[in-house]
Amino acid sequence: KIVPEGLKRTGMPYTDRKYTVHELPEPLQGLTLLQTKNGHKGVKDEQFRIVLSVDKPAYLFLAIDDRMVRLWHRDGTPEWIKEFSPTDYRIVTDDPTMQEQRPYQVVVKPVPAGETKLGPPWNQTQPVPAYSMYFGFVGNGEPD
């Protein structure tokens, strides 16, 4: 689900959970939110796609559960994620499974006008732990 200006403290990053954003870097405040379903966190099927369309070039950000990133470093990152670059931004939600305030790491890539496809959160060969699904947001201009 697309929520214009939906990335904010107390905003809900998922359509199927009541979790809210607890900590958010100020430069990301008010960007257009791409709510995903946390229930999709276990998808490994390479046919899985989220198709996002933008009217003009933009920056597409993903917030990825830090625990997933650590497993990707060990087991291999999905190919489509490799197109994104890391940022220094972190987001924290009130998800009770993310004890000790584990953050979401924020990655970014520039996207042209038109369609962009996001893939499954896991490689087909990886065992799937119950970590949180990524969620996204879109901004214009240059990311800091």
Side-chain angles (χ1 to χ4, degrees):
K1 178 179 176 184
I2 301 296
V3 183
E5 300 179 14
L7 186 64
K8 56 188 173 186
R9 288 177 195 87
T10 73
M12 295 173 42
Y14 301 110
T15 60
D16 62 342
R17 299 289 192 280
K18 299 289 184 194
Y19 310 148
T20 59
V21 173
H22 182 68
E23 294 178 26
L24 177 68
E26 191 60 37
L28 303 178
Q29 180 81 19
L31 294 181
T32 297
L33 176 63
L34 167 61
Q35 288 180 317
T36 58
K37 289 186 178 185
N38 203 8
H40 288 157
K41 62 189 169 191
V43 174
K44 295 188 332 180
D45 185 346
E46 292 177 359
Q47 301 282 331
F48 177 85
R49 294 283 181 263
I50 295 173
V51 180
L52 177 67
S53 182
V54 294
D55 294 336
K56 57 186 175 182
Y59 286 91
L60 174 58
F61 297 86
L62 294 181
I64 303 171
D65 186 329
D66 185 57
R67 300 168 293 179
M68 289 175 70
V69 173
R70 284 186 266 148
L71 284 180
W72 290 343
H73 286 298
R74 185 189 74 195
D75 299 334
T77 304
E79 285 300 315
W80 70 272
I81 292 280
K82 292 178 182 178
E83 299 172 2
F84 288 79
S85 300
T87 72
D88 291 332
Y89 294 134
R90 302 290 182 265
I91 296 174
V92 176
T93 69
D94 62 0
D95 177 346
T97 68
M98 296 180 83
Q99 300 162 355
E100 300 172 20
Q101 302 253 328
R102 288 191 184 103
Y104 289 77
Q105 292 187 26
V106 177
V107 296
V108 64
K109 83 171 187 174
V111 294
E115 288 187 351
T116 298
K117 296 177 182 174
L118 305 176
W122 297 102
N123 289 327
Q124 288 193 339
T125 58
Q126 289 176 303
V128 179
Y131 298 156
S132 291
M133 175 68 171
Y134 62 81
F135 60 94
F137 41 101
V138 178
N140 295 319
E142 292 291 324
D144 292 335

